[in-house]
């Protein structure tokens, strides 16, 4: 914890402001005040950062490098203050100066360099590694434009580019002296030197990878780890261009633009793979720069390259950074002159891989032609890896060509990245128990059979520092007052909160805190989305990427049904509910965009119908992102986790909601199952098909959605309402949704689960009426959320995969 008192903080801040802006504090605007605060806090962090790096260099501890195309950090100021242990002092010091800390914190642009769960998980992991004293570094891309900003105009999603760097970024430090060169295209000359083959890369296009480092502050432990994001630049004139002919001036401009496009923008898709060249360039760009800089650092500090795997662990977040495998092989074989087998042992021992999805359409398969042209040497290495591996397969399954070609890394003119990732790493993990079982038994069963010891589960987690301490200070205070503060370092200790749930005063407090957070959320909704909602109603929330498998459509259909019921029977007795949605659709994903429009049309109709709008309201909150999630989640009563069973690898918002005392309505999918096991059936509302039922339908058929349409009057009516002009003048507006559900037989079992979902919602209504019982359920959820802290997850990775020394000081 930083030694600091209010007085000295105030003084330092006033001075900092003057120094930075050349005017006195009282003359400055809020943006300037934010910048001065950010800069001051950054100075504090820098001291810790230097100290940490010195310590790591001295002790030579094993370093973990978490490679990810995405890091969804959100805002950093509040987190840094919290982890430094000075947020309260800072708040009070600023108040003395008539400044509200939260007003300044809210001016920070979200660092939105990720699509959703996978990127946010990477951010939670960085926080946990730093807080657990694990030497853990992030490695990724410094996209100039992050995930697009979403505006809802006329009920439709409109994408606006996210120029998050336009006001500068106080947290990053450009390290020009640590730049690396990444080579694209060209040819490989093969020659023989002293009886060994030598591979020389010529005529390539060089790209300068410049790192920008951001400190990741651990919780009150004097540690700041590093997130290194690479930016692509044209190489300067000093570069030896003998093997790279730039040609004329126009050529040079073209080169510059093409280079800069590499780190220009985050791809906003997270479920449909398209074999775009630029994306492959992005992948190799950051992976090559990252691996090169690791080796350079390692050697500079006297490391013996043959022992690399004892000192370095590289983790690849999904298949996107899989090229780390052939890139490390390239460096070890071509540059360090190691034998292939030695290099392979080191590489596989160094690298580990997490799978985050079983959706077939998200699997990365690069075309050989494009890959070979862009990365000629890497292609040769992948070929060599594949040949040796296929020989192994042949020895194990002689004559079984079917199996061998199915398992091959290269087949049908494609390179299968998941296969390369499994073959080239020592550990493959799924992100929740069910997901790992599906990987082992179905999706990757051939590989599991071949390498049973590589496969393991690491159920996801979330950092309770951001998602409880920072985003819900009121609940944190109640917890501290009732169970003490040991849960801050040992989140599992939240369990003892359960012993206090017989105490009516505690339950009442829980209710008050929820109400307070709902009021805050209601005012955000009014401000951002111009809809007035009642904090006394149930806040029923589904916020996440818009995707067919996540089934926002199921949620919307039950609202349409409820609307019908309320119109048919004005005395229909329900607890008033506010339905809140949020989430972005990939710009090219028609069905997802159509779903947003449907929700908005249903919202408009219902919110303007005075017959029902004291009972139900519907809101689509625009531009869902980390900082908005921090406001929504504490103000939620009901958390909708309703994906088609087997499709959601884990989910992580489910964990954030339970930690903030929401009741989950869930299918038995992903981590929902583990949440249910923790809180028991009495404290969660489960519905829908089981995994076995879903898998059996997919395998054997037997489901006909139209039968449900024909036999269930409620279903017939709402499905017809999609296309009869009730929600939009243009009757064809929601035809794609209609067709998905009826004509194309409802791939995600929306109608199949409909009845059971409605019953689940009726149960919620009943439970909510008994205030004490409801609060108790919320309390049980909070008490059992500790196991879903990413500290637990990271300890499992550290001891089970990375071989890091976990220092138990903090545990
Ligand atoms: C996939 C693709 C496919 C190709 C185009 C670009 C792109 C970008 C990102 C992704 C990642 C998809 C996988 C993903 O986000 N999975 C989510 O991971 C979460 C953390 O483990 C997990 O909680 C979610 O259930 C899972 O959907």
């Amino acid at each position: 914890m930083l030694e600091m008192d209010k007085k000295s903080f105030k003084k330092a801040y006033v001075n900092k402001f003057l120094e930075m802006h050349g005017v006195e504090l009282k003359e400055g605007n809020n943006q300037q005040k934010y910048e001065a605060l950010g800069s001051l806090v950054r100075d504090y962090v820098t001291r810790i950062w230097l100290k940490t790096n010195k310590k790591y260099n001295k002790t030579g501890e094993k370093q973990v490098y978490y490679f990810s195309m995405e890091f969804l950090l959100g805002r950093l100021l509040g987190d840094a203050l919290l982890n430094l242990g000075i947020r309260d002092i800072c708040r009070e010091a600023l108040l003395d100066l008539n400044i509200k800390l939260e007003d300044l914190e809210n001016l920070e642009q979200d660092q939105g360099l990720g699509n959703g769960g996978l990127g946010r998980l990477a951010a939670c992991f960085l926080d946990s590694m730093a807080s657990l004293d694990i030497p853990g570094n992030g490695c990724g891309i410094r996209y100039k434009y992050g995930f697009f900003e979403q505006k809802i105009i006329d009920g439709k999603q409109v994408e606006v580019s996210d120029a998050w760097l336009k006001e500068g970024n106080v947290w990053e430090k450009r390290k020009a002296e640590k730049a690396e060169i990444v080579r694209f295209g060209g040819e490989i000359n093969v020659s023989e030197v002293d009886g060994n083959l030598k591979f020389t890369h010529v005529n390539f296009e060089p790209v300068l990878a410049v790192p920008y480092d951001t400190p990741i502050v651990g919780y009150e432990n004097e540690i700041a780890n590093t997130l290194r994001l690479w930016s692509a630049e044209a190489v300067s004139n000093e570069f030896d261009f003998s093997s790279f002919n730039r040609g004329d001036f126009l050529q040079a401009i073209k080169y510059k633009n093409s280079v800069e496009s590499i780190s220009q923008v985050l791809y906003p898709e997270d479920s449909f793979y398209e074999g775009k060249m630029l994306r492959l360039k992005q992948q190799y760009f950051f992976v090559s720069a990252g691996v090169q800089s690791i080796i350079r650092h390692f050697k500079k500090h006297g490391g013996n390259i043959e022992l690399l795997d004892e000192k370095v662990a590289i983790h690849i977040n999904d298949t996107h950074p899989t090229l780390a495998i052939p890139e490390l092989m390239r460096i070890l074989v071509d540059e360090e002159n190691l034998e292939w087998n030695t290099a392979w042992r080191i590489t596989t021992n160094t690298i580990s891989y997490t799978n985050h999805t079983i959706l077939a359409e998200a699997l990365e398969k690069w075309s050989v032609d494009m890959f070979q042209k862009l990365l000629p040497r890497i292609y040769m290495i992948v070929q060599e890896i594949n040949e040796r591996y296929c020989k192994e397969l042949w020895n194990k399954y002689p004559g079984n060509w079917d199996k061998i070609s199915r398992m091959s890394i290269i087949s049908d003119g494609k390179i299968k990245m998941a296969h390369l990732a499994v073959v080239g790493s020592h550990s493959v993990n799924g992100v929740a128990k069910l997901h790992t079982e599906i990987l082992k038994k179905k999706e990757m069963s051939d590989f599991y059979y071949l390498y049973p010891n590589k496969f393991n589960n690491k159920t996801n987690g979330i950092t309770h520092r951001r998602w409880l301490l920072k985003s819900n200070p009121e609940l944190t205070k109640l917890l501290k007052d009732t169970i003490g503060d040991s849960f801050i370092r040992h989140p599992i200790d939240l369990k003892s909160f359960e012993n206090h749930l017989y105490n009516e005063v505690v339950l009442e407090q829980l209710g008050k805190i929820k109400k307070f957070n709902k009021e805050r959320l209601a005012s955000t909704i009014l401000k951002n989305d111009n809809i007035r909602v009642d904090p006394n109603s149930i806040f029923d929330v589904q916020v996440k990427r818009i995707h067919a498998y996540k089934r926002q459509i199921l949620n919307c259909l039950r609202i349409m049904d409820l609307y019908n019921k309320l119109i048919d029977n004005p005395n229909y007795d329900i607890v008033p509910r506010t339905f809140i949605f949020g989430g972005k659709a990939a710009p090219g994903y028609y069905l997802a965009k159509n779903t947003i429009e449907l929700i908005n049309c249903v919202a408009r109709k219902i919110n303007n119908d005075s017959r029902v709008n004291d009972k139900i309201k519907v809101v689509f909150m625009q531009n869902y992102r980390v900082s908005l999630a921090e406001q929504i989640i504490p103000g939620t009563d009901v958390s909708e986790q309703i994906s088609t069973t087997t499709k959601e690898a884990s989910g992580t918002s489910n964990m954030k909601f339970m930690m903030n005392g929401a009741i989950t309505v869930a299918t038995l999918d992903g981590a929902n199952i583990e949440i249910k096991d923790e809180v028991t059936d009495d404290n969660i509302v489960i519905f829908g098909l089981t995994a076995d039922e879903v898998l059996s339908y997919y395998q054997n058929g037997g489901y006909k959605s139209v039968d449900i349409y024909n036999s269930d009057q409620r279903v017939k009516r709402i499905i017809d309402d999609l296309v009869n002009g009730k929600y939009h003048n243009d009757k064809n507006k929601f035809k794609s949704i209609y067709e998905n559900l009826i004509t194309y037989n409802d791939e995600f079992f929306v109608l199949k689960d409909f009845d059971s979902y409605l019953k689940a919602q009726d149960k919620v209504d009943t439970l909510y009426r008994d205030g004490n019982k409801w609060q108790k359920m919320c309390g049980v959820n909070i008490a059992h959320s500790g196991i879903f802290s990413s500290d637990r997850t990271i300890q499992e990775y550290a001891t089970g995969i990375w071989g890091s020394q976990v220092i138990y000081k903090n545990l």
Side-chain angles (χ1 to χ4, degrees), residues 69-70 115-122 125 266-274 279 283 317-320 354-359 361-364 430-432 435 460 549-550 647-655 670-671 797:
M69 284 286 268
E70 308 189 4
N115 272 283
L118 169 137
R120 183 54 230 175
L121 186 76
F125 280 7
L266 168 82
Y267 272 93
E269 280 93 35
D270 71 345
S271 42
F272 295 103
Y273 164 74
E274 281 180 283
R279 179 142 171 112
Q283 296 188 347
N317 198 21
D318 216 293
T319 54
H320 321 141
T354 299
N355 173 289
H356 293 268
T357 182
I358 56 158
L359 295 185
E361 60 273 27
L363 289 181
E364 296 193 294
V431 291
H435 171 59
N460 280 165
Y549 86 78
K550 295 183 188 275
K647 296 287 181 187
E648 189 71 274
S650 159
T652 42
S653 73
N654 45 5
M655 302 167 184
Y797 275 89

Side-chain angles (χ1 to χ4, degrees), residues 601-615:
C601 287
V602 169
R604 188 182 50 200
K605 179 109 186 146
I606 289 178
N607 299 346
N608 290 312
D609 189 335
S610 58
R611 295 170 298 176
V612 299
N613 66 13
D614 57 340
K615 291 206 177 126

